Amino acid sequence: MSDEHVLICVAWPYANGPLHLGHVAGCYLPPDIQARFERARGNRVLMVSGSDEHGTPITVTAETQGISPQEVVDKYHEINTKALMDLGCSWEPNIDPRGPEYGGALFNRTSDPEHYEIVSENFMKLMNAGLFERKVMQQYYEIRDEGGRFLPDRYVEGECPTCSAEGARGDQCDECGVTYEAHELKNPKSKMNPDASIEIRDTEHFFYRLDFFQEVLEKHANQRQGVWKPNVKAMTKQWLKMGLRPRAVTRDLDWGIPLPLEGNEWDGKCIYVWFEAVQGYYSCARLWAKRYSNSEDYEKWWKITESGKPPRHLYFLGKDNIPFHTVIWPAIIMGLNHANKGLDDSTPPALPGPGDLSLEDNVPAMEYLMLAGGQFSKSRKHAVWLPSFLERFDPDTLRYYLSINMPEAHDTDFNWPDFVEKINSELIAAYGNFVHRVLTLGSRLPNDRPISTFDNLSYCTDEMKKLETLHRQATSSLERHRYKEALRTVMSAAQLGNQMLQAAIPWKFLKDLDADGSEQSMAKLAFGWRLSRYLAIMTQPFLPFSAQRLWESLGESGDVALAPWDSAVDWNVSYKWSESEPTPLFQQLDLEEILSQEKSLAGQSPDSNDPGHSVKGGKKNNKEVKKMPEGTTHVDFETFMEVKLRVGKIESVSDHENADKLYVVAIDDGSESGRTICAGLKDYYTPEQMVGKSIVFVANLKPRKLRGIVSEGMMLAADDGNGGVKLVTIDGDITPGSQVR
Ligand SMILES: [Zn+2]
């Protein structure tokens, strides 16, 4: 699809600390890849986000550091904006080089006075439509000699009513995870002023009537069943199943957007941060249009056309924020549509139609990127910060590693040895070396017979076909937000190039260009230029910096990001060549060196109190950040339990007729028919040594055909990495088919 209006909404980072690599993998890199891909396909992309600058995460940081909230947000807005730009996230230029009708990007701030105006306007609309209710609630209040103040949840600490842990917050215990009413907390104290006396007082607030939208949200979720990922479907369903209740949209705090209401009774209250920051997706689009195009132009990215065509809305966020984007935000959008039509709560809400603001299409939420322990975990904060990472490494190395290791379906892990291994042996060995070889060999040709004279596609039809298939596959993966899979596909095109050169051995013909076979061999080398161009275009969404360097090395001009995605497989594009000396695309990384400098990166959080990311009310589970040995990846218990391990007894072992290394092993698995497993154990066991052993096998592995024989599972074996392999056996007799846990 091209020429579509695509709104890319990126979770708003809290401006109370620097971003770390977990944020990047979860929220900030995937939307940039998507935006670049959509633009290359000819779509009209508007990308919106900004710093979330209100709420208690900011005020707590400010009070802890003894500075003003404004100083906190000014500092981290600048640091984080710069880090995202340094990472190559395309927040600039604000206007697409093809013109504002193609969109652009805006990384704004919630402290923008025009964001205040839009939020206030929406607040009044929703209130006048009868979608708020007023309720009195109880809140802790700190009594002072002069005045006093209400204490939001993060400002109260006490003993958990359930597990008696110290340091439990006003509404939730981080230790055992329970939530409770404020008055249930034992020995409550003001966190900032523990000696002050505090008491519970009544305070009146507005609540958004989420319950009013229950049915229409269920309808919406049903419509998205075919689009959403399993984790998004599951969390949304869980929320809807619990039944929606009105949710407070105001609170007792002065750092935020003041209520747009007359009367002293509202002094000291502001609009709850979750309710206004989430509207940033909308305000940011309006402000982008006002500043960089025409004010009404935001409608192209927000409103369903009169003929009923919606823009495509993609929201990128971490898994802790899913219900905010599939339940709460859609409820606000439908409330605004309702109010815009002059309706009130006597008419049930409806799904958006022509002229209405559109709802989210896909929410490709990520799981978490974890961080290996070891040296890192000495730091209390246990993180690798983006700004300091980018001071030392090529941003494309991080983009590569996080893309190939993206926490799409389950949590993944960052650790230095794996980072170095993937950069050196995948990115450089496959991709970097291929293009460097093409450029170096090509530059060795004599001036009177430049490489372009060998360009002859008739020798390369096989390669062309394969590359076209890979292009289709990568496109389809990107359409489905499978970034890992897409990048692997692109890398396999580089592998194909290596194999092509290895088979063609063009270096042998460089000295004798008239030898037999030279024409074909040199045609393959010349095709290497076309394949490199293909790689520049297809790596661009993932690795924009190296793609641009390669683009220029190939003799192309302009911005590779403007090269149409499909032109990667245009084999008739005119042949170019750069006369400049080829330089390697990437630098090899040295693990020893990195580990010795690592302390300066690990947990280097100069002064921030809590850079933990919990955009818009999501809560970060601190339990996930525990010490673990380097190189470990966590899976949760449920994921582990999905693997069914069972005991089997080896009945017979025979050679696989079509595979030298494989045995065909018949196993008594407790069932009548038994099962067959193909195993690569020939180098380690004779059939006699295996028969009769009770082993452990994976029972629910998808059956695979291996050279004509279906293998139904996998036997577990230990591998010491030095040629030693031993089957996992059972200590004593037990019935075949027994479960292993
Ligand atoms: Zn507790």
Side-chain angles (χ1 to χ4, degrees):
M1 292 283 274
S2 66
D3 217 31
E4 253 187 308
H5 284 90
V6 183
L7 184 72
I8 295 201
C9 300
V10 183
W12 290 54
Y14 267 138
N16 72 330
L19 297 174
H20 61 63
L21 302 194
H23 301 141
V24 176
C27 301
Y28 304 113
L29 183 56
D32 189 59
I33 295 170
Q34 194 71 34
R36 289 172 172 278
F37 166 67
E38 300 286 352
R39 287 193 179 113
R41 297 191 86 194
N43 287 324
R44 300 162 189 267
V45 177
L46 181 58
M47 184 160 80
V48 292
S49 184
S51 292
D52 185 348
E53 303 193 338
H54 296 134
T56 50
I58 309 289
T59 53
V60 170
T61 303
E63 288 193 36
T64 310
Q65 296 184 22
I67 55 177
S68 72
Q70 191 62 50
E71 285 172 282
V72 173
V73 299
D74 285 350
K75 174 175 165 185
Y76 289 112
H77 175 71
E78 195 187 323
I79 290 176
N80 290 338
T81 310
K82 180 176 184 302
L84 290 171
M85 297 290 295
D86 289 348
L87 183 66
C89 293
S90 37
W91 292 107
E92 278 178 12
N94 295 107
I95 301 173
D96 189 291
R98 295 166 294 179
E101 66 275 22
Y102 278 91
L106 179 59
F107 191 81
N108 201 30
R109 319 172 59 163
T110 55
S111 58
D112 185 327
E114 291 191 283
H115 171 73
Y116 276 44
E117 274 175 37
I118 293 169
V119 167
S120 302
E121 188 186 298
N122 288 344
F123 187 93
M124 293 312 294
K125 272 188 194 173
L126 296 171
M127 187 161 86
N128 294 335
L131 300 177
F132 287 163
E133 65 181 34
R134 282 165 77 154
K135 262 203 291 201
V136 173
M137 56 196 288
Q138 270 102 43
Q139 182 90 49
Y140 281 105
Y141 190 87
E142 182 183 318
I143 301 160
R144 293 179 178 180
D145 291 344
E146 286 174 32
R149 64 169 177 176
F150 278 103
L151 297 171
D153 304 327
R154 284 176 189 240
Y155 280 82
V156 183
E157 256 181 18
E159 225 174 88
C160 168
T162 304
C163 76
S164 298
E166 300 276 344
R169 287 195 272 157
D171 62 339
Q172 188 183 15
C173 169
D174 284 339
E175 201 54 44
C176 70
V178 297
T179 57
Y180 35 77
E181 296 296 322
H183 64 81
E184 295 177 85
L185 187 70
K186 291 190 227 157
N187 297 326
K189 285 190 173 67
S190 163
K191 196 174 166 185
M192 296 295 165
N193 195 6
D195 296 331
S197 41
I198 66 175
E199 63 180 21
I200 290 176
R201 286 193 184 178
D202 284 351
T203 174
E204 189 170 24
H205 284 287
F206 288 97
F207 287 69
Y208 190 55
R209 293 175 54 190
L210 289 175
D211 50 320
F212 181 65
F213 298 92
Q214 175 86 32
E215 268 181 43
V216 73
L217 285 166
E218 284 168 6
K219 232 189 257 178
H220 169 60
N222 282 335
Q223 284 184 355
R224 292 293 185 271
Q225 288 302 297
V227 181
W228 288 346
K229 286 164 56 158
N231 59 347
V232 178
K233 280 194 271 200
M235 289 191 79
T236 307
K237 194 172 162 195
Q238 197 189 344
W239 262 56
L240 290 171
K241 210 174 145 192
M242 286 188 306
L244 298 171
R245 286 179 303 171
R247 193 177 172 109
V249 294
T250 56
R251 75 184 315 192
D252 297 288
L253 188 71
D254 53 14
W255 181 248
I257 302 181
L259 303 200
L261 300 171
E262 303 286 334
N264 307 342
E265 65 204 285
W266 307 115
D267 283 356
K269 296 181 199 272
C270 71
I271 299 181
Y272 219 131
V273 63
W274 71 262
F275 185 69
E276 53 102 346
V278 75
Q279 294 183 47
Y281 298 124
Y282 170 76
S283 73
C284 196
R286 276 184 56 178
L287 296 174
W288 173 85
K290 185 178 167 199
R291 290 168 195 173
Y292 302 106
S293 188
N294 295 309
S295 289
E296 302 305 308
D297 280 353
Y298 83 92
E299 296 183 355
K300 296 177 188 163
W301 281 276
W302 260 105
K303 290 194 172 173
I304 298 171
T305 63
E306 288 308 321
S307 60
K309 187 175 164 40
R312 184 149 52 97
H313 283 193
L314 304 173
Y315 287 83
F316 291 84
L317 40 118
K319 66 176 162 189
D320 54 342
N321 264 314
I322 291 169
F324 262 85
H325 293 82
T326 58
V327 176
I328 293 184
W329 179 222
I332 299 173
I333 295 172
M334 287 192 280
L336 290 170
N337 286 335
H338 204 70
N340 285 339
K341 289 183 192 131
L343 300 171
D344 61 21
D345 59 337
S346 60
T347 312
L351 288 171
D356 284 337
L357 300 173
S358 193
L359 300 185
E360 84 287 5
D361 185 68
N362 205 348
V363 181
M366 293 289 163
E367 303 288 314
Y368 291 134
L369 177 81
M370 313 296 266
L371 177 58
Q375 297 90 325
F376 291 136
S377 60
K378 279 180 198 153
S379 145
R380 189 172 62 92
K381 285 305 173 192
H382 190 86
V384 178
W385 308 106
L386 181 61
S388 45
F389 187 99
L390 293 173
E391 279 169 20
R392 302 202 311 160
F393 297 98
D394 177 345
D396 275 359
T397 59
L398 181 60
R399 291 180 68 116
Y400 178 79
Y401 182 73
L402 295 183
S403 301
I404 213 79
N405 204 20
M406 204 166 264
E408 287 170 4
H410 53 80
D411 294 346
T412 58
D413 186 64
F414 178 92
N415 69 73
W416 289 111
D418 191 43
F419 170 67
V420 171
E421 162 76 14
K422 290 220 161 72
I423 296 309
N424 287 349
S425 68
E426 293 178 11
L427 181 66
I428 300 182
Y431 170 48
N433 283 357
F434 166 69
V435 299
H436 194 60
R437 245 162 139 193
V438 170
L439 294 170
T440 315
L441 292 170
S443 69
R444 290 196 198 138
L445 284 161
N447 285 340
D448 61 331
R449 298 184 72 178
I451 187 166
S452 55
T453 58
F454 297 96
D455 188 30
N456 185 342
L457 291 175
S458 65
Y459 288 113
C460 307
T461 45
D462 256 13
E463 284 86 357
M464 282 150 62
K465 226 182 271 168
K466 283 183 188 153
L467 293 171
E468 283 159 18
T469 304
L470 293 175
H471 184 269
R472 272 196 302 278
Q473 285 170 354
T475 305
S476 152
S477 300
L478 283 167
E479 281 171 346
R480 289 174 297 147
H481 308 287
R482 296 184 180 178
Y483 303 102
K484 251 188 241 208
E485 186 181 274
L487 185 52
R488 263 194 226 118
T489 304
V490 177
M491 286 297 126
S492 65
Q495 284 292 11
L496 181 89
N498 280 318
Q499 287 156 12
M500 177 185 77
L501 289 188
Q502 211 59 45
I505 43 174
W507 45 90
K508 287 210 170 157
F509 294 98
L510 280 177
K511 285 189 187 119
D512 186 4
L513 290 168
D514 299 313
D516 271 359
S518 166
E519 195 184 327
Q520 178 174 357
S521 175
M522 298 314 287
K524 301 273 188 187
L525 178 61
F527 188 73
W529 181 89
R530 295 192 179 276
L531 209 170
S532 301
R533 184 181 175 278
Y534 169 103
L535 289 169
I537 294 172
M538 293 196 47
T539 55
Q540 183 272 128
F542 300 96
L543 314 170
F545 297 99
S546 54
Q548 185 63 31
R549 291 197 293 272
L550 174 58
W551 191 245
E552 288 162 17
S553 303
L554 292 169
E556 294 280 9
S557 55
D559 188 349
V560 64
L562 295 175
W565 182 250
D566 287 343
S567 89
V569 286
D570 178 359
W571 309 116
N572 295 314
V573 78
S574 69
Y575 207 96
K576 300 184 190 69
W577 191 258
S578 166
E579 294 307 320
S580 52
E581 185 73 14
T583 50
L585 270 189
F586 306 101
Q587 297 285 327
Q588 286 273 346
L589 299 179
D590 184 308
L591 181 60
E592 297 280 303
E593 194 187 318
I594 289 172
L595 290 179
S596 74
Q597 293 176 345
E598 169 195 319
K599 273 183 194 152
S600 66
L601 270 172
Q604 191 188 68
S605 167
D607 47 24
S608 94
N609 175 48
D610 177 20
H613 189 63
S614 61
V615 181
K616 285 168 282 299
K619 290 197 172 67
K620 189 175 163 146
N621 184 356
N622 294 322
K623 290 202 186 84
E624 305 214 14
V625 193
K626 274 197 181 144
K627 269 197 185 185
M628 49 200 268
E630 200 147 54
T632 308
T633 304
H634 278 149
V635 295
D636 49 36
F637 185 67
E638 286 73 12
T639 311
F640 169 69
M641 289 306 283
E642 283 174 20
V643 179
K644 301 285 177 241
L645 298 174
R646 294 193 187 280
V647 174
K649 192 160 189 181
I650 299 181
E651 293 193 310
S652 71
V653 178
S654 56
D655 290 349
H656 192 305
E657 283 185 5
N658 303 315
D660 291 344
K661 297 212 158 160
L662 292 183
Y663 280 140
V664 179
V665 184
I667 288 176
D668 175 3
D669 63 353
S671 73
E672 232 167 79
S673 52
R675 69 170 68 205
T676 303
I677 290 180
C678 296
L681 291 168
K682 270 197 181 170
D683 292 344
Y684 315 106
Y685 284 96
T686 63
E688 294 73 39
Q689 288 170 326
M690 288 173 67
V691 172
K693 279 196 159 66
S694 285
I695 52 85
V696 177
F697 66 95
V698 183
N700 60 341
L701 196 67
K702 198 172 160 191
R704 280 204 309 161
K705 211 174 203 179
L706 293 169
R707 300 273 177 112
I709 293 181
V710 176
S711 181
E712 306 159 298
M714 189 179 93
M715 291 189 281
L716 299 190
D719 184 348
D720 67 5
N722 287 316
V725 170
K726 292 287 171 201
L727 277 167
V728 173
T729 55
I730 291 294
D731 173 31
D733 277 344
I734 193 161
T735 320
S738 297
Q739 207 178 338
V740 180
R741 290 188 283 201

